[in-house]
PDB file of all heavy atoms in Angstrom:
ATOM      1  N   ILE A 154     -79.202-149.041 -43.099  1.00 87.00           N
ATOM      2  CA  ILE A 154     -79.581-149.386 -44.472  1.00 87.00           C
ATOM      3  C   ILE A 154     -80.962-150.029 -44.504  1.00 87.00           C
ATOM      4  O   ILE A 154     -81.791-149.724 -45.370  1.00 87.00           O
ATOM      5  CB  ILE A 154     -78.521-150.314 -45.102  1.00 87.00           C
ATOM      6  CG1 ILE A 154     -77.228-149.516 -45.364  1.00 87.00           C
ATOM      7  CG2 ILE A 154     -79.044-150.926 -46.396  1.00 87.00           C
ATOM      8  CD1 ILE A 154     -76.088-150.332 -45.908  1.00 87.00           C
ATOM      9  N   ILE A 155     -81.240-150.895 -43.532  1.00 83.00           N
ATOM     10  CA  ILE A 155     -82.550-151.545 -43.493  1.00 83.00           C
ATOM     11  C   ILE A 155     -83.666-150.517 -43.352  1.00 83.00           C
ATOM     12  O   ILE A 155     -84.689-150.585 -44.041  1.00 83.00           O
ATOM     13  CB  ILE A 155     -82.614-152.578 -42.354  1.00 83.00           C
ATOM     14  CG1 ILE A 155     -81.820-153.831 -42.737  1.00 83.00           C
ATOM     15  CG2 ILE A 155     -84.056-152.951 -42.028  1.00 83.00           C
ATOM     16  CD1 ILE A 155     -81.780-154.894 -41.671  1.00 83.00           C
ATOM     17  N   ASN A 156     -83.490-149.538 -42.486  1.00 80.00           N
ATOM     18  CA  ASN A 156     -84.533-148.538 -42.296  1.00 80.00           C
ATOM     19  C   ASN A 156     -84.720-147.681 -43.553  1.00 80.00           C
ATOM     20  O   ASN A 156     -85.847-147.305 -43.896  1.00 80.00           O
ATOM     21  CB  ASN A 156     -84.208-147.639 -41.097  1.00 80.00           C
ATOM     22  CG  ASN A 156     -85.390-146.795 -40.673  1.00 80.00           C
ATOM     23  OD1 ASN A 156     -86.506-147.295 -40.520  1.00 80.00           O
ATOM     24  ND2 ASN A 156     -85.164-145.509 -40.507  1.00 80.00           N
ATOM     25  N   GLU A 157     -83.626-147.380 -44.247  1.00 82.00           N
ATOM     26  CA  GLU A 157     -83.743-146.630 -45.500  1.00 82.00           C
ATOM     27  C   GLU A 157     -84.526-147.437 -46.537  1.00 82.00           C
ATOM     28  O   GLU A 157     -85.349-146.883 -47.270  1.00 82.00           O
ATOM     29  CB  GLU A 157     -82.349-146.295 -46.031  1.00 82.00           C
ATOM     30  CG  GLU A 157     -81.626-145.222 -45.221  1.00 82.00           C
ATOM     31  CD  GLU A 157     -80.288-144.833 -45.821  1.00 82.00           C
ATOM     32  OE1 GLU A 157     -79.925-145.393 -46.871  1.00 82.00           O
ATOM     33  OE2 GLU A 157     -79.609-143.965 -45.235  1.00 82.00           O
ATOM     34  N   GLN A 158     -84.288-148.757 -46.572  1.00 82.00           N
ATOM     35  CA  GLN A 158     -85.026-149.604 -47.506  1.00 82.00           C
ATOM     36  C   GLN A 158     -86.502-149.678 -47.137  1.00 82.00           C
ATOM     37  O   GLN A 158     -87.367-149.701 -48.012  1.00 82.00           O
ATOM     38  CB  GLN A 158     -84.401-151.002 -47.532  1.00 82.00           C
ATOM     39  CG  GLN A 158     -83.012-151.031 -48.153  1.00 82.00           C
ATOM     40  CD  GLN A 158     -82.356-152.395 -48.059  1.00 82.00           C
ATOM     41  OE1 GLN A 158     -82.584-153.150 -47.113  1.00 82.00           O
ATOM     42  NE2 GLN A 158     -81.524-152.720 -49.037  1.00 82.00           N
ATOM     43  N   LEU A 159     -86.776-149.704 -45.822  1.00 75.00           N
ATOM     44  CA  LEU A 159     -88.170-149.715 -45.362  1.00 75.00           C
ATOM     45  C   LEU A 159     -88.887-148.436 -45.791  1.00 75.00           C
ATOM     46  O   LEU A 159     -90.015-148.487 -46.296  1.00 75.00           O
ATOM     47  CB  LEU A 159     -88.217-149.847 -43.842  1.00 75.00           C
ATOM     48  CG  LEU A 159     -88.121-151.243 -43.247  1.00 75.00           C
ATOM     49  CD1 LEU A 159     -87.907-151.163 -41.730  1.00 75.00           C
ATOM     50  CD2 LEU A 159     -89.385-152.046 -43.537  1.00 75.00           C
ATOM     51  N   LYS A 160     -88.245-147.294 -45.587  1.00 72.00           N
ATOM     52  CA  LYS A 160     -88.877-146.016 -45.923  1.00 72.00           C
ATOM     53  C   LYS A 160     -89.144-145.886 -47.417  1.00 72.00           C
ATOM     54  O   LYS A 160     -90.108-145.239 -47.828  1.00 72.00           O
ATOM     55  CB  LYS A 160     -87.995-144.859 -45.436  1.00 72.00           C
ATOM     56  CG  LYS A 160     -87.954-144.701 -43.928  1.00 72.00           C
ATOM     57  CD  LYS A 160     -87.348-143.378 -43.494  1.00 72.00           C
ATOM     58  CE  LYS A 160     -85.905-143.246 -43.874  1.00 72.00           C
ATOM     59  NZ  LYS A 160     -85.311-141.967 -43.410  1.00 72.00           N
ATOM     60  N   LYS A 161     -88.285-146.489 -48.221  1.00 74.00           N
ATOM     61  CA  LYS A 161     -88.459-146.440 -49.676  1.00 74.00           C
ATOM     62  C   LYS A 161     -89.410-147.516 -50.187  1.00 74.00           C
ATOM     63  O   LYS A 161     -89.708-147.561 -51.380  1.00 74.00           O
ATOM     64  CB  LYS A 161     -87.101-146.588 -50.370  1.00 74.00           C
ATOM     65  CG  LYS A 161     -86.164-145.405 -50.135  1.00 74.00           C
ATOM     66  CD  LYS A 161     -84.804-145.658 -50.760  1.00 74.00           C
ATOM     67  CE  LYS A 161     -83.851-144.500 -50.506  1.00 74.00           C
ATOM     68  NZ  LYS A 161     -82.490-144.757 -51.049  1.00 74.00           N
ATOM     69  N   GLY A 162     -89.881-148.384 -49.297  1.00 72.00           N
ATOM     70  CA  GLY A 162     -90.799-149.440 -49.689  1.00 72.00           C
ATOM     71  C   GLY A 162     -90.136-150.598 -50.408  1.00 72.00           C
ATOM     72  O   GLY A 162     -90.810-151.403 -51.068  1.00 72.00           O
ATOM     73  N   LEU A 163     -88.812-150.715 -50.271  1.00 68.00           N
ATOM     74  CA  LEU A 163     -88.087-151.786 -50.963  1.00 68.00           C
ATOM     75  C   LEU A 163     -88.205-153.124 -50.242  1.00 68.00           C
ATOM     76  O   LEU A 163     -88.067-154.177 -50.858  1.00 68.00           O
ATOM     77  CB  LEU A 163     -86.599-151.407 -51.100  1.00 68.00           C
ATOM     78  CG  LEU A 163     -86.322-150.130 -51.901  1.00 68.00           C
ATOM     79  CD1 LEU A 163     -84.837-149.807 -51.895  1.00 68.00           C
ATOM     80  CD2 LEU A 163     -86.817-150.305 -53.341  1.00 68.00           C
ATOM     81  N   ILE A 164     -88.436-153.073 -48.925  1.00 67.00           N
ATOM     82  CA  ILE A 164     -88.647-154.295 -48.149  1.00 67.00           C
ATOM     83  C   ILE A 164     -89.798-154.058 -47.174  1.00 67.00           C
ATOM     84  O   ILE A 164     -90.157-152.912 -46.883  1.00 67.00           O
ATOM     85  CB  ILE A 164     -87.384-154.719 -47.364  1.00 67.00           C
ATOM     86  CG1 ILE A 164     -86.950-153.619 -46.380  1.00 67.00           C
ATOM     87  CG2 ILE A 164     -86.254-155.095 -48.296  1.00 67.00           C
ATOM     88  CD1 ILE A 164     -85.812-154.038 -45.462  1.00 67.00           C
ATOM     89  N   SER A 165     -90.369-155.147 -46.665  1.00 66.00           N
ATOM     90  CA  SER A 165     -91.455-155.060 -45.685  1.00 66.00           C
ATOM     91  C   SER A 165     -90.887-155.187 -44.277  1.00 66.00           C
ATOM     92  O   SER A 165     -89.719-155.546 -44.083  1.00 66.00           O
ATOM     93  CB  SER A 165     -92.465-156.186 -45.936  1.00 66.00           C
ATOM     94  OG  SER A 165     -91.851-157.448 -45.650  1.00 66.00           O
ATOM     95  N   GLU A 166     -91.742-154.916 -43.272  1.00 67.00           N
ATOM     96  CA  GLU A 166     -91.327-155.073 -41.876  1.00 67.00           C
ATOM     97  C   GLU A 166     -90.915-156.511 -41.595  1.00 67.00           C
ATOM     98  O   GLU A 166     -89.941-156.767 -40.878  1.00 67.00           O
ATOM     99  CB  GLU A 166     -92.472-154.669 -40.935  1.00 67.00           C
ATOM    100  CG  GLU A 166     -92.709-153.181 -40.841  1.00 67.00           C
ATOM    101  CD  GLU A 166     -91.693-152.481 -39.947  1.00 67.00           C
ATOM    102  OE1 GLU A 166     -90.855-153.171 -39.340  1.00 67.00           O
ATOM    103  OE2 GLU A 166     -91.746-151.235 -39.864  1.00 67.00           O
ATOM    104  N   ASP A 167     -91.663-157.483 -42.155  1.00 69.00           N
ATOM    105  CA  ASP A 167     -91.322-158.896 -41.948  1.00 69.00           C
ATOM    106  C   ASP A 167     -89.960-159.221 -42.548  1.00 69.00           C
ATOM    107  O   ASP A 167     -89.159-159.944 -41.948  1.00 69.00           O
ATOM    108  CB  ASP A 167     -92.396-159.803 -42.566  1.00 69.00           C
ATOM    109  CG  ASP A 167     -93.709-159.751 -41.799  1.00 69.00           C
ATOM    110  OD1 ASP A 167     -93.687-159.321 -40.617  1.00 69.00           O
ATOM    111  OD2 ASP A 167     -94.746-160.115 -42.378  1.00 69.00           O
ATOM    112  N   GLN A 168     -89.683-158.700 -43.732  1.00 64.00           N
ATOM    113  CA  GLN A 168     -88.385-158.939 -44.367  1.00 64.00           C
ATOM    114  C   GLN A 168     -87.258-158.281 -43.580  1.00 64.00           C
ATOM    115  O   GLN A 168     -86.178-158.829 -43.454  1.00 64.00           O
ATOM    116  CB  GLN A 168     -88.404-158.403 -45.802  1.00 64.00           C
ATOM    117  CG  GLN A 168     -89.262-159.211 -46.751  1.00 64.00           C
ATOM    118  CD  GLN A 168     -89.411-158.532 -48.109  1.00 64.00           C
ATOM    119  OE1 GLN A 168     -89.583-157.316 -48.196  1.00 64.00           O
ATOM    120  NE2 GLN A 168     -89.355-159.326 -49.175  1.00 64.00           N
ATOM    121  N   ALA A 169     -87.552-157.093 -43.030  1.00 62.00           N
ATOM    122  CA  ALA A 169     -86.540-156.387 -42.238  1.00 62.00           C
ATOM    123  C   ALA A 169     -86.112-157.215 -41.037  1.00 62.00           C
ATOM    124  O   ALA A 169     -84.932-157.261 -40.680  1.00 62.00           O
ATOM    125  CB  ALA A 169     -87.083-155.037 -41.777  1.00 62.00           C
ATOM    126  N   GLY A 170     -87.069-157.896 -40.412  1.00 59.00           N
ATOM    127  CA  GLY A 170     -86.746-158.743 -39.264  1.00 59.00           C
ATOM    128  C   GLY A 170     -85.798-159.866 -39.627  1.00 59.00           C
ATOM    129  O   GLY A 170     -84.950-160.267 -38.817  1.00 59.00           O
ATOM    130  N   LEU A 171     -85.901-160.363 -40.837  1.00 57.00           N
ATOM    131  CA  LEU A 171     -85.022-161.456 -41.285  1.00 57.00           C
ATOM    132  C   LEU A 171     -83.632-160.965 -41.650  1.00 57.00           C
ATOM    133  O   LEU A 171     -82.686-161.749 -41.708  1.00 57.00           O
ATOM    134  CB  LEU A 171     -85.644-162.160 -42.499  1.00 57.00           C
ATOM    135  CG  LEU A 171     -87.007-162.824 -42.276  1.00 57.00           C
ATOM    136  CD1 LEU A 171     -87.564-163.347 -43.598  1.00 57.00           C
ATOM    137  CD2 LEU A 171     -86.885-163.975 -41.270  1.00 57.00           C
ATOM    138  N   LEU A 172     -83.489-159.665 -41.875  1.00 59.00           N
ATOM    139  CA  LEU A 172     -82.213-159.105 -42.320  1.00 59.00           C
ATOM    140  C   LEU A 172     -81.418-158.423 -41.204  1.00 59.00           C
ATOM    141  O   LEU A 172     -80.347-157.879 -41.456  1.00 59.00           O
ATOM    142  CB  LEU A 172     -82.468-158.080 -43.436  1.00 59.00           C
ATOM    143  CG  LEU A 172     -83.074-158.621 -44.729  1.00 59.00           C
ATOM    144  CD1 LEU A 172     -83.457-157.464 -45.647  1.00 59.00           C
ATOM    145  CD2 LEU A 172     -82.098-159.552 -45.437  1.00 59.00           C
ATOM    146  N   GLU A 173     -81.935-158.451 -39.966  1.00 60.00           N
ATOM    147  CA  GLU A 173     -81.294-157.720 -38.869  1.00 60.00           C
ATOM    148  C   GLU A 173     -79.826-158.088 -38.702  1.00 60.00           C
ATOM    149  O   GLU A 173     -78.984-157.254 -38.387  1.00 60.00           O
ATOM    150  CB  GLU A 173     -82.042-157.963 -37.552  1.00 60.00           C
ATOM    151  CG  GLU A 173     -83.379-157.240 -37.453  1.00 60.00           C
ATOM    152  CD  GLU A 173     -83.238-155.735 -37.326  1.00 60.00           C
ATOM    153  OE1 GLU A 173     -82.127-155.249 -37.079  1.00 60.00           O
ATOM    154  OE2 GLU A 173     -84.257-155.050 -37.470  1.00 60.00           O
ATOM    155  N   ASP A 174     -79.477-159.357 -38.892  1.00 55.00           N
ATOM    156  CA  ASP A 174     -78.092-159.794 -38.695  1.00 55.00           C
ATOM    157  C   ASP A 174     -77.133-159.149 -39.680  1.00 55.00           C
ATOM    158  O   ASP A 174     -75.927-159.081 -39.434  1.00 55.00           O
ATOM    159  CB  ASP A 174     -77.986-161.325 -38.812  1.00 55.00           C
ATOM    160  CG  ASP A 174     -78.609-162.027 -37.613  1.00 55.00           C
ATOM    161  OD1 ASP A 174     -78.829-161.356 -36.588  1.00 55.00           O
ATOM    162  OD2 ASP A 174     -78.865-163.240 -37.693  1.00 55.00           O
ATOM    163  N   THR A 175     -77.641-158.701 -40.820  1.00 54.00           N
ATOM    164  CA  THR A 175     -76.783-158.108 -41.844  1.00 54.00           C
ATOM    165  C   THR A 175     -76.944-156.582 -41.904  1.00 54.00           C
ATOM    166  O   THR A 175     -76.498-155.948 -42.844  1.00 54.00           O
ATOM    167  CB  THR A 175     -77.104-158.708 -43.226  1.00 54.00           C
ATOM    168  OG1 THR A 175     -78.482-158.467 -43.544  1.00 54.00           O
ATOM    169  CG2 THR A 175     -76.865-160.207 -43.234  1.00 54.00           C
ATOM    170  N   ASN A 176     -77.585-156.031 -40.881  1.00 65.00           N
ATOM    171  CA  ASN A 176     -77.851-154.594 -40.895  1.00 65.00           C
ATOM    172  C   ASN A 176     -76.562-153.787 -40.772  1.00 65.00           C
ATOM    173  O   ASN A 176     -75.632-154.167 -40.071  1.00 65.00           O
ATOM    174  CB  ASN A 176     -78.792-154.231 -39.747  1.00 65.00           C
ATOM    175  CG  ASN A 176     -79.424-152.862 -39.952  1.00 65.00           C
ATOM    176  OD1 ASN A 176     -79.383-152.310 -41.042  1.00 65.00           O
ATOM    177  ND2 ASN A 176     -80.004-152.332 -38.904  1.00 65.00           N
ATOM    178  N   VAL A 177     -76.517-152.662 -41.467  1.00 87.00           N
ATOM    179  CA  VAL A 177     -75.365-151.761 -41.424  1.00 87.00           C
ATOM    180  C   VAL A 177     -75.880-150.369 -41.097  1.00 87.00           C
ATOM    181  O   VAL A 177     -76.836-149.893 -41.723  1.00 87.00           O
ATOM    182  CB  VAL A 177     -74.630-151.738 -42.783  1.00 87.00           C
ATOM    183  CG1 VAL A 177     -73.501-150.722 -42.757  1.00 87.00           C
ATOM    184  CG2 VAL A 177     -74.089-153.125 -43.119  1.00 87.00           C
ATOM    185  N   ILE A 178     -75.270-149.698 -40.116  1.00 92.00           N
ATOM    186  CA  ILE A 178     -75.722-148.358 -39.775  1.00 92.00           C
ATOM    187  C   ILE A 178     -75.120-147.337 -40.743  1.00 92.00           C
ATOM    188  O   ILE A 178     -74.041-147.541 -41.298  1.00 92.00           O
ATOM    189  CB  ILE A 178     -75.410-147.988 -38.317  1.00 92.00           C
ATOM    190  CG1 ILE A 178     -73.904-147.959 -38.041  1.00 92.00           C
ATOM    191  CG2 ILE A 178     -76.108-148.940 -37.361  1.00 92.00           C
ATOM    192  CD1 ILE A 178     -73.573-147.431 -36.658  1.00 92.00           C
ATOM    193  N   THR A 179     -75.848-146.264 -40.953  1.00 94.00           N
ATOM    194  CA  THR A 179     -75.431-145.232 -41.909  1.00 94.00           C
ATOM    195  C   THR A 179     -74.866-143.992 -41.234  1.00 94.00           C
ATOM    196  O   THR A 179     -74.350-143.106 -41.906  1.00 94.00           O
ATOM    197  CB  THR A 179     -76.627-144.828 -42.791  1.00 94.00           C
ATOM    198  OG1 THR A 179     -77.718-144.431 -41.952  1.00 94.00           O
ATOM    199  CG2 THR A 179     -77.064-145.992 -43.668  1.00 94.00           C
ATOM    200  N   ARG A 180     -74.979-143.911 -39.923  1.00 96.00           N
ATOM    201  CA  ARG A 180     -74.368-142.819 -39.147  1.00 96.00           C
ATOM    202  C   ARG A 180     -73.768-143.406 -37.875  1.00 96.00           C
ATOM    203  O   ARG A 180     -74.369-144.300 -37.265  1.00 96.00           O
ATOM    204  CB  ARG A 180     -75.394-141.765 -38.730  1.00 96.00           C
ATOM    205  CG  ARG A 180     -76.105-141.038 -39.822  1.00 96.00           C
ATOM    206  CD  ARG A 180     -76.947-139.919 -39.211  1.00 96.00           C
ATOM    207  NE  ARG A 180     -78.123-139.606 -40.000  1.00 96.00           N
ATOM    208  CZ  ARG A 180     -79.095-138.811 -39.593  1.00 96.00           C
ATOM    209  NH1 ARG A 180     -79.023-138.233 -38.397  1.00 96.00           N
ATOM    210  NH2 ARG A 180     -80.141-138.574 -40.360  1.00 96.00           N
TER     211      ARG A 180
END
Side-chain angles (χ1 to χ4, degrees):
I154 290 177
I155 285 178
N156 193 48
E157 288 184 0
Q158 292 175 328
L159 276 169
K160 290 193 296 182
K161 293 176 181 177
L163 299 176
I164 60 173
S165 67
E166 286 282 356
D167 290 341
Q168 289 172 319
L171 299 174
L172 296 172
E173 286 290 348
D174 288 344
T175 59
N176 197 15
V177 176
I178 63 173
T179 55
R180 298 187 209 170

